[in-house]
Amino acid sequence: MSNIPKVIADFTVLPVQIAKTKAFPAATHYIYLKPHDPRIPDPSSARSLFLVNIPVSTTEGHLKHLFNTQIGAGRVEEVYFGEARAQKASILSQTQSAQQKKSRKRKRENVEDFEAALEACQLPRSWNSDIHTSGAHAVVVFVDRTSMEASLKAAKKISRKGTGIAWGDGLESASSSLGLSRYIAHNKLRYPSRKELLHSVEDYMTAFNKLEEARHKADAKRRSMPDDDGFVTVTRGTRGGAIRSDEAKEIAEKQKAKNKGLEDFYRFQMREKRKEEQGKLIRQFEEDRRKVAEMKRRRGTLRPE
């Protein structure tokens, strides 16, 4: 391991020793880590480490055991694998948005909120752990920035020494999620208990019913409001209940304002309007002639015939 560089492109190279199994001999694996610096930072970015090339069987317990116990310089709060961080951040932002809407006075959840809740519903897991692709990455979030910096400093010290850390050493059931036991557990998880399955289905149906109710309310609102062109959208289903007289007057006034300028829509209306304009011009002309004659008479310039 003396020929292995200690730092590669700002990444600290951390060697870990993977114990041999019946199928594979012992091996040295290299994890690359650095402070997390995402393109769009979040509140926990400053206290996080970005890890690349984690072992394919890595679990959250492995990384917590690595930093909390084996390196022992900090305390891990949570771990994200691959794109799970972005997905969880999206769900968190949607949840915060929903909470903000609930906190506002006289605000209700909209269709988008219920769609997000429906997508969050999942069936019970059928695998007890995930297998990552080669070169997969993870984000380790520490309780504070001091813990992150201390863990990174300790990892650099281990890297300079060149002594690898025994991967999963001292971790209970470190290898129970692999090999034959993994598929035995998978076979059991394929058939969840009736209570667990019923709970999952009820959560989904509750979210689905709320979504349908929100959609019906949105459709009823669209049916009662004309669009920009003055037309009312025709949707499937019956109209809602009777509206109050003041609401009816308000809708009628809006409709009248939108219909302004549409009086010349039909051809016969255009002919009638042209005739009316011609008559108006003739009357105006006669009125002007009368005024001119009156002015000449007053000046005494009117000559008798």
Side-chain angles (χ1 to χ4, degrees), residues 8-299:
I8 298 178
D10 297 333
F11 283 91
T12 298
V13 181
L14 179 65
V16 294
Q17 300 293 333
I18 298 179
K20 67 177 182 178
T21 63
K22 294 180 180 180
F24 297 98
T28 302
H29 188 86
Y30 298 94
I31 300 176
Y32 307 94
L33 54 93
K34 71 171 185 177
H36 189 38
D37 185 20
R39 183 178 302 175
I40 303 177
D42 54 42
S44 61
S45 298
R47 52 187 176 95
S48 304
L49 287 179
F50 182 70
L51 279 63
V52 181
N53 196 40
I54 58 176
V56 295
S57 59
T58 303
T59 63
E60 184 175 352
H62 280 99
L63 294 178
K64 284 187 174 181
H65 180 69
L66 174 66
F67 288 101
N68 294 346
T69 304
Q70 293 181 291
I71 295 179
R75 187 168 184 82
V76 176
E77 180 179 297
E78 53 188 345
V79 178
Y80 300 98
F81 295 100
E83 301 299 329
R85 182 176 179 83
Q87 295 174 359
K88 188 168 184 178
S90 176
I91 295 174
L92 180 61
S93 64
Q94 292 175 356
T95 304
Q96 291 176 347
S97 177
Q99 290 176 352
Q100 290 175 357
K101 289 181 179 180
K102 286 182 179 179
S103 63
R104 294 176 185 173
K105 189 176 181 180
R106 301 179 66 181
K107 279 286 185 179
R108 296 181 180 179
E109 292 177 309
N110 53 24
V111 176
E112 290 76 11
D113 296 330
F114 291 114
E115 287 178 348
L118 187 64
E119 292 178 358
C121 296
Q122 296 180 353
L123 291 172
R125 288 175 57 91
S126 59
W127 293 96
N128 58 353
S129 63
D130 296 325
I131 297 297
H132 310 287
T133 59
S134 178
H137 64 274
V139 176
V140 180
V141 182
F142 292 83
V143 293
D144 51 30
R145 186 181 179 87
T146 303
S147 294
M148 184 274 290
E149 292 176 346
S151 297
L152 180 60
K153 184 177 180 181
K156 290 180 178 179
K157 185 176 181 180
I158 295 173
S159 177
R160 286 194 298 268
K161 289 182 178 180
T163 57
I165 298 177
W167 181 252
D169 184 29
L171 180 65
E172 295 182 2
S173 65
S175 60
S176 61
S177 60
L178 301 175
L180 181 61
S181 59
R182 171 179 171 82
Y183 292 94
I184 293 175
H186 171 61
N187 187 58
K188 292 181 180 179
L189 293 174
R190 287 176 60 194
Y191 307 98
S193 64
R194 183 178 181 276
K195 182 179 180 181
E196 184 180 4
L197 190 60
L198 183 62
H199 180 71
S200 178
V201 173
E202 286 179 349
D203 289 344
Y204 182 88
M205 293 307 301
T206 300
F208 179 79
N209 291 334
K210 289 182 178 180
L211 175 60
E212 288 295 301
E213 183 180 356
R215 285 174 175 171
H216 287 317
K217 289 182 179 179
D219 290 341
K221 186 176 181 180
R222 283 196 298 270
R223 283 195 293 266
S224 62
M225 295 298 295
D227 57 16
D228 296 337
D229 297 327
F231 297 98
V232 177
T233 304
V234 179
T235 57
R236 183 178 62 184
T238 58
R239 293 184 63 87
I243 59 177
R244 297 192 301 270
S245 59
D246 54 346
E247 293 180 353
K249 290 180 180 179
E250 183 179 356
I251 293 174
E253 290 176 358
K254 290 182 179 180
Q255 183 69 22
K256 185 177 180 181
K258 290 182 180 295
N259 289 338
K260 187 177 181 180
L262 298 178
E263 60 273 6
D264 297 336
F265 185 77
Y266 296 102
R267 185 177 298 175
F268 76 92
Q269 290 178 327
M270 296 176 67
R271 288 199 301 267
E272 293 293 334
K273 188 167 185 179
R274 281 199 299 269
K275 290 180 180 180
E276 183 180 350
E277 290 177 353
Q278 290 175 0
K280 185 177 180 180
L281 290 174
I282 292 173
R283 289 192 299 271
Q284 186 67 33
F285 178 73
E286 294 295 336
E287 181 68 19
D288 292 341
R289 285 184 61 183
R290 187 187 63 78
K291 289 181 180 179
V292 171
E294 182 67 20
M295 291 173 61
K296 288 182 178 181
R297 187 185 65 79
R298 289 180 180 179
R299 292 180 182 178

